[in-house]
Amino acid sequence: MEKFTKMTAIAVPLDRANVDTDAIIPKQFLKSIKRSGFGPNLFDEWRYLDHGEPGMDNSTRPINTDFVLNKPRYNGARILLARDNFGCGSSREHAPWALEDYGIRVIIAPSFADIFYNNCFKNGLLPIILEEQTIDELFNMVFENEGFELTVDLELKKITSDSGISIDFELDQFRRHCLLEGLDEIGLTLEHADDIRAYENKQKEITPWL
Amino acid sequence: MSAKTLYDKLWDSHVVRENDDGTSLLYIDRQLIHEVTSPQAFEGLRLANRKPWKLSANLATPDHNVPTTDRDQGITDPVSKLQVDTLDSNCDNFGITEFKMDDIRQGIVHVVSPEQGATLPGMTLVCGDSHTSTHGAFGTLAFGVGTSEVEHVLATQCLIQKKSKNMLVEVNGQLDEHVTAKDVILAIIGKIGTAGGTGYAIEFAGDAIRSFSMEGRMTLSNMAIEAGARAGMVAVDDTTIEYVKGRPYAPSDEHWEQAVQYWKNFYSDSDALFDKTVSLDAADIKPQVTWGTSPEMTMAIDELIPDPTNESDPVKQEGMKAALKYMGLTAGEPISEVSVDVVFIGSCTNSRIEDIRAAAEVAKGNKVSSSIKQALVVPGSGLIKKQAEEEGLDKILTTAGFEWREPGCSMCLAMNADRLEPQERCASTSNRNFEGRQGQGGRTHLVSPAMAAAAAIAGHFIDIPLTNKQG
């Protein structure tokens, strides 16, 4: 997994609540047996005017110019500013894969759906939860200032901008540590293989039918 | 020892170790595997040269991509076929039990596992699918995981987890005879919202919940995730134990009594504390129909479609306007006057034998309206299909004009050939009414099996008792 330490990038505002994983990456793209290549189909039904299918040449498809990701002022955005309950719906990890493949590394929202939130950390994505009012202010700043950039520093747990904003955020210690170091969680768990075997041996008495 | 909730007991009995950072290593007794969220997990194992920790803990079946017609011809879509073939070869190569497409035990993972007795009370169960919450019906801690965690469980039989908070959702009183578990869970989601359960594990309790069969409890727990909760559960009682008894993967006679004694501990102590409690009066719950593009956008069959201008929260108001536009509906219109194009009875929410019986009961002696383009009944597993046929339900349904299909996820998420065309309106017994869920531009209304069958006959949404009068 790619480490996340500090990043400065344009923020793109996705101003709707309850953005679900079907919207992030529609099901027809879930048929892939790979982990990569989902970026061109991120938000497919909102980004393009036609119906997308796997294997299409996305560069020739008609673009929905009203959709925020297609606005030239947000080209190169790596921070997604979102609303409540972002990532609700299915457990598909293809959603964070698509965001990451597109170039997004940070998502800032008032709340996230649990499974999506959890999946982000397995893929080097940093979801940040902030107060609704702070999010409103960030939306306004992004709308009003073309090329508005934010700096996200995971070491300091701080979001800053050249315009002088400084916002602290919280993140649990374990997830922060894994992101900062780019750790393999399976490797971490296997360090406790003896504990797992001891648990299994104890359970053989309690639940011998399993 | 202090009082514990059902969730506390399930959690505590599976902690392998507690880490200094507040996370726990949680043991997972059972993992269910399907073709969509597993290929990258198996690939990860291969790349790291790792082997599954405990083969017998895993059970696989293809469900999302499988065709519901002409099974003998295989899968025609090459991309879908590759995904199912990949599951087959991964299971064969690693030695994991799989009910393949031609096996009568094949079906939707969340239907197959309980049916086989592979879902048992007191266990932890995961699957790379958010509707894994279904299995909570058995007093099981069951939740959906992403592909990285599928790989983590394959490799270690554990997950690094932080405990959720406890929420109690109580439904007490007498339900009207036409109100089903589906109506109850939609009413609950309507009350607490799609993010109301985020960060919580929900326990469903109260005498109305206790009165549900295991099928009903599975429908209820299945949609806990639509309220934002990764896990929903119901305490173990005699109904649970009766259901499990004698199933292929249930404990043998040798261990049965020990198992029953152990399972009977899985309930919340009477003085256990919940972080949040929500109560509903069963008598207030009416048959539900969703009107929008989120499961919380639900209403009773006799109500008018809500008006966004009455909503004070501007973000919610915009969401309602966008939903009405997408759904092609007008505020103030009675939902019972909205006509339907397609009817889908199936999915991990409502494809069990009781659901098919409920649909057949409404369909019996009636005909699907000529205005309906397609009315599909897709049983949840090959064994349910067989049972329904033995009961003659398929004949009742096909005589009425429904199509009787092979088991799978089908039009719930339209990864196979069963899908809506743009603007087609569907009365669906599935779990998600998101934009494009059943096909790009398709309009989904979530309902119970009886309501779906009634809509097929009337051609529009209708309260079930009226079906036979007007049908």
Side-chain angles (χ1 to χ4, degrees):
Chain A
M1 184 179 80
E2 202 182 333
K3 288 183 187 181
F4 187 98
T5 48
K6 186 176 173 180
M7 192 190 72
T8 300
I10 287 180
V12 56
L14 185 60
D15 195 6
R16 54 193 286 174
N18 299 319
V19 171
D20 58 73
T21 54
D22 281 77
I24 297 171
I25 183 84
K27 67 266 176 175
Q28 60 270 36
F29 304 107
L30 270 51
K31 296 179 186 182
S32 169
I33 57 171
K34 298 191 190 126
R35 245 176 212 269
S36 56
F38 296 100
N41 302 108
L42 173 72
F43 298 119
D44 197 272
E45 291 186 6
W46 294 341
R47 243 166 104 190
Y48 303 97
L49 294 170
D50 63 345
H51 174 74
E53 282 292 333
M56 283 170 89
D57 178 0
N58 295 295
S59 64
T60 61
R61 294 175 58 195
I63 295 288
N64 174 10
T65 51
D66 289 338
F67 183 56
V68 71
L69 255 65
N70 289 330
K71 296 196 188 286
R73 63 181 282 189
Y74 299 117
N75 275 352
R78 306 203 69 189
I79 300 172
L80 184 71
L81 203 52
R83 292 291 185 185
D84 259 323
N85 202 24
F86 187 85
C88 61
S90 95
S91 68
R92 62 188 70 163
E93 201 160 315
H94 312 67
W97 293 340
L99 287 158
E100 196 268 345
D101 198 57
Y102 178 85
I104 301 290
R105 290 298 301 279
V106 178
I107 308 159
I108 305 173
S111 63
F112 292 90
D114 285 341
I115 304 178
F116 175 81
Y117 183 77
N118 197 40
N119 282 340
C120 283
F121 294 101
K122 320 287 182 194
N123 296 283
L125 259 75
L126 171 60
I128 299 175
I129 300 170
L130 296 178
E131 293 287 330
E132 188 123 28
Q133 197 191 335
T134 313
I135 302 266
D136 284 341
E137 288 164 14
L138 286 173
F139 265 96
N140 287 336
M141 282 182 232
V142 170
F143 286 138
E144 284 163 18
N145 305 288
E146 187 162 344
F148 186 77
E149 289 190 330
L150 291 170
T151 297
V152 178
D153 188 328
L154 182 57
E155 190 73 57
L156 298 175
K157 293 191 279 182
K158 221 176 237 315
I159 302 170
T160 53
S161 75
D162 286 347
S163 61
I165 64 161
S166 176
I167 303 162
D168 293 317
F169 63 87
E170 289 301 319
L171 189 63
D172 81 58
Q173 199 188 326
F174 174 73
R175 283 168 166 150
R176 177 166 163 270
H177 176 66
C178 288
L179 267 186
L180 284 171
E181 303 295 330
L183 291 178
D184 164 22
E185 278 191 24
I186 296 178
L188 287 180
T189 296
L190 287 172
E191 287 175 14
H192 303 300
D194 289 344
D195 290 335
I196 303 172
R197 283 191 201 99
Y199 174 87
E200 286 181 326
N201 286 331
K202 185 186 72 168
Q203 288 304 111
K204 270 183 195 152
E205 301 292 318
I206 305 170
T207 54
W209 57 90
L210 288 180
Chain B
M1 216 160 55
S2 61
K4 288 181 177 183
T5 64
L6 167 59
Y7 173 62
D8 295 338
K9 290 179 183 178
L10 286 162
W11 177 272
D12 291 351
S13 58
H14 288 86
V15 173
V16 171
R17 57 170 281 132
E18 286 179 3
N19 301 316
D20 298 336
D21 52 26
T23 60
S24 296
L25 194 60
L26 197 72
Y27 193 81
I28 304 301
D29 295 311
R30 171 78 64 206
Q31 173 156 255
L32 306 176
I33 294 171
H34 64 85
E35 77 277 20
V36 180
T37 55
S38 66
Q40 298 87 350
F42 283 113
E43 183 65 11
L45 279 192
R46 264 191 295 269
L47 289 173
N49 205 17
R50 288 173 176 141
K51 285 192 162 53
W53 181 277
K54 187 181 176 188
L55 280 174
S56 65
N58 299 284
L59 181 64
T61 192
D63 55 8
H64 287 61
N65 281 280
V66 299
T68 58
T69 54
D70 305 318
R71 274 285 165 85
D72 51 345
Q73 291 173 26
I75 304 174
T76 50
D77 174 359
V79 193
S80 287
K81 182 174 187 309
L82 177 62
Q83 204 165 48
V84 173
D85 288 349
T86 304
L87 177 69
D88 292 352
S89 64
N90 280 328
C91 289
D92 290 347
N93 293 337
F94 283 98
I96 289 171
T97 303
E98 184 198 2
F99 301 150
K100 293 194 167 80
M101 209 169 81
D102 58 359
D103 190 315
I104 192 159
R105 297 169 294 178
Q106 178 271 337
I108 307 172
V109 277
H110 307 309
V111 174
V112 167
S113 177
E115 181 175 81
Q116 290 294 320
T119 301
L120 294 172
M123 65 163 37
T124 46
L125 181 154
V126 299
C127 174
D129 190 284
S130 60
H131 292 111
T132 307
S133 59
T134 308
H135 309 267
F138 291 80
T140 302
L141 175 56
F143 53 92
V145 294
T147 300
S148 296
E149 290 189 323
V150 172
E151 183 183 340
H152 199 131
V153 174
L154 278 169
T156 71
Q157 213 54 51
C158 289
L159 282 175
I160 302 169
Q161 293 285 297
K162 251 189 138 162
K163 201 178 169 193
S164 304
K165 291 180 283 185
N166 277 291
M167 184 190 289
L168 179 68
V169 175
E170 283 181 307
V171 187
N172 281 305
Q174 182 73 37
L175 291 165
D176 181 88
E177 63 169 320
H178 296 293
V179 174
T180 67
K182 182 64 163 285
D183 302 304
V184 171
I185 188 62
L186 284 172
I188 291 168
I189 298 164
K191 185 175 169 106
I192 69 175
T194 46
T198 304
Y200 291 93
I202 295 180
E203 179 178 348
F204 299 102
D207 47 25
I209 306 291
R210 291 251 79 84
S211 73
F212 286 139
S213 64
M214 289 314 293
E215 283 84 351
R217 294 178 193 186
M218 284 190 257
T219 301
L220 195 72
S221 304
N222 172 275
M223 288 187 73
I225 186 64
E226 310 317 328
R230 283 178 83 177
M233 60 200 84
V234 180
V236 177
D237 61 10
D238 291 343
T239 307
T240 325
I241 292 165
E242 270 310 303
Y243 181 95
V244 169
K245 196 171 186 178
R247 293 186 183 266
Y249 285 72
S252 59
D253 289 347
E254 182 195 353
H255 296 302
W256 179 255
E257 281 310 317
Q258 186 187 354
V260 169
Q261 287 315 309
Y262 177 74
W263 295 339
K264 283 186 171 171
N265 295 310
F266 288 94
Y267 61 90
S268 287
D269 297 329
S270 57
D271 49 348
L273 293 176
F274 286 86
D275 299 287
K276 190 173 177 182
T277 299
V278 176
S279 297
L280 282 84
D281 187 343
D284 293 341
I285 302 174
K286 291 182 178 171
Q288 300 284 304
V289 183
T290 64
W291 57 267
T293 53
S294 163
E296 71 185 19
M297 295 170 165
T298 186
M299 60 194 288
I301 180 68
D302 59 359
E303 288 179 335
L304 306 178
I305 293 166
D307 188 343
T309 58
N310 296 332
E311 173 59 54
S312 54
D313 178 339
V315 176
K316 271 194 179 163
Q317 190 183 95
E318 282 310 307
M320 288 174 75
K321 282 184 191 163
L324 287 179
K325 184 168 177 237
Y326 180 87
M327 295 296 290
L329 295 172
T330 313
E333 190 182 5
I335 192 76
S336 58
E337 284 176 14
V338 173
S339 57
V340 168
D341 305 305
V342 175
V343 171
F344 171 61
I345 297 170
S347 87
C348 58
T349 313
N350 282 124
S351 63
R352 298 179 180 84
I353 191 69
E354 273 192 9
D355 301 316
I356 297 174
R357 285 182 195 140
E361 194 187 337
V362 174
K364 195 169 191 173
N366 286 310
K367 289 281 177 204
V368 169
S369 165
S370 59
S371 64
I372 297 286
K373 294 181 192 169
Q374 188 172 42
L376 288 185
V377 184
V378 184
S381 72
L383 288 170
I384 289 173
K385 181 170 186 265
K386 181 167 169 268
Q387 186 181 349
E389 288 169 356
E390 282 164 5
E391 293 181 18
L393 304 178
D394 61 320
K395 289 281 177 300
I396 295 172
L397 289 161
T398 51
T399 304
F402 288 86
E403 294 177 45
W404 180 243
R405 296 289 188 94
E406 301 290 336
C409 299
S410 182
M411 203 187 273
C412 173
L413 86 169
M415 274 187 79
N416 69 352
D418 308 332
R419 64 186 68 170
L420 297 180
E421 294 298 318
Q423 279 85 56
E424 272 184 349
R425 188 178 301 286
C426 181
S428 177
T429 66
S430 56
N431 39 55
R432 291 198 172 123
N433 51 354
F434 298 158
E435 284 186 20
R437 171 83 179 180
Q438 295 190 289
Q440 193 174 25
R443 295 162 170 168
T444 304
H445 295 266
L446 305 176
V447 291
S448 72
M451 286 284 278
I457 287 149
H460 57 87
F461 292 108
I462 184 170
D463 209 352
I464 304 142
L466 300 175
T467 311
N468 288 328
K469 293 176 201 156
Q470 297 190 1

